[in-house]
Amino acid sequence: MDLIGVYLREAMDEGCPVCRILRSYEESQIETILYEHVNDPEVRKKFRKSLGLCTYHAWKTLEKAYSEPPLLGPLGVAIIYEDVLSRYIGFLEDGRVSKEEGCFLCELVREKERSTIEALPIE
């Protein structure tokens, strides 16, 4: 059994195991971004391409930042969105329209959901 299968077995005790795994994955991705990748150029590029996050993930990120102030705090969110807004303002000043891509956290969760469901031991 692979690692996803182990997580699925553990998760079956608490409701839908796929939903539990996805919630945990989503939380860990947000935490990783805020703790380790605020100034990572590749992560910043993803934020710029999507002009931030979808409404759900933006609020979820802010909620996570405030839930662990000594470790995370709102500063990381402010740094990321200052960068995104300065890019957006640049587009407006140049009279250009930015082509907005989808929320990259939504895409990460969709990929995780697909791999988790594919790992289900269906007999």
Side-chain angles (χ1 to χ4, degrees):
M1 180 182 298
D2 63 1
L3 190 57
I4 293 175
V6 172
Y7 289 142
L8 280 168
R9 283 190 188 268
E10 289 175 0
M12 287 194 188
D13 294 335
E14 299 177 24
C16 174
V18 175
C19 293
R20 181 174 174 260
I21 287 170
L22 294 178
R23 274 193 308 272
S24 174
Y25 177 75
E26 183 179 65
E27 293 274 329
S28 90
Q29 289 301 306
I30 291 170
E31 186 175 312
T32 299
I33 289 168
L34 291 176
Y35 189 71
E36 298 176 17
H37 298 296
V38 168
N39 292 312
D40 183 311
E42 288 302 310
V43 172
R44 286 284 190 87
K45 186 189 297 184
K46 291 176 184 177
F47 272 99
R48 284 188 210 114
K49 282 183 178 180
S50 64
L51 295 179
L53 298 170
C54 67
T55 305
Y56 170 78
H57 281 119
W59 282 108
K60 196 88 167 141
T61 300
L62 192 60
E63 179 183 295
K64 184 68 174 172
Y66 276 111
S67 72
E68 298 183 36
L71 280 178
L72 304 176
L75 180 61
V77 177
I79 290 169
I80 290 168
Y81 272 93
E82 187 276 332
D83 185 52
V84 169
L85 288 172
S86 65
R87 180 172 193 255
Y88 190 71
I89 289 169
F91 279 123
L92 292 175
E93 289 174 345
D94 295 342
R96 295 181 295 150
V97 177
S98 173
K99 184 182 176 211
E100 180 181 339
E101 293 184 11
C103 171
F104 76 93
L105 278 176
C106 285
E107 183 58 35
L108 285 174
V109 172
R110 274 192 294 273
E111 288 174 19
K112 180 69 171 180
E113 180 178 30
R114 183 180 38 74
S115 65
T116 301
I117 290 171
E118 287 173 356
L120 283 172
I122 299 173
E123 297 173 14

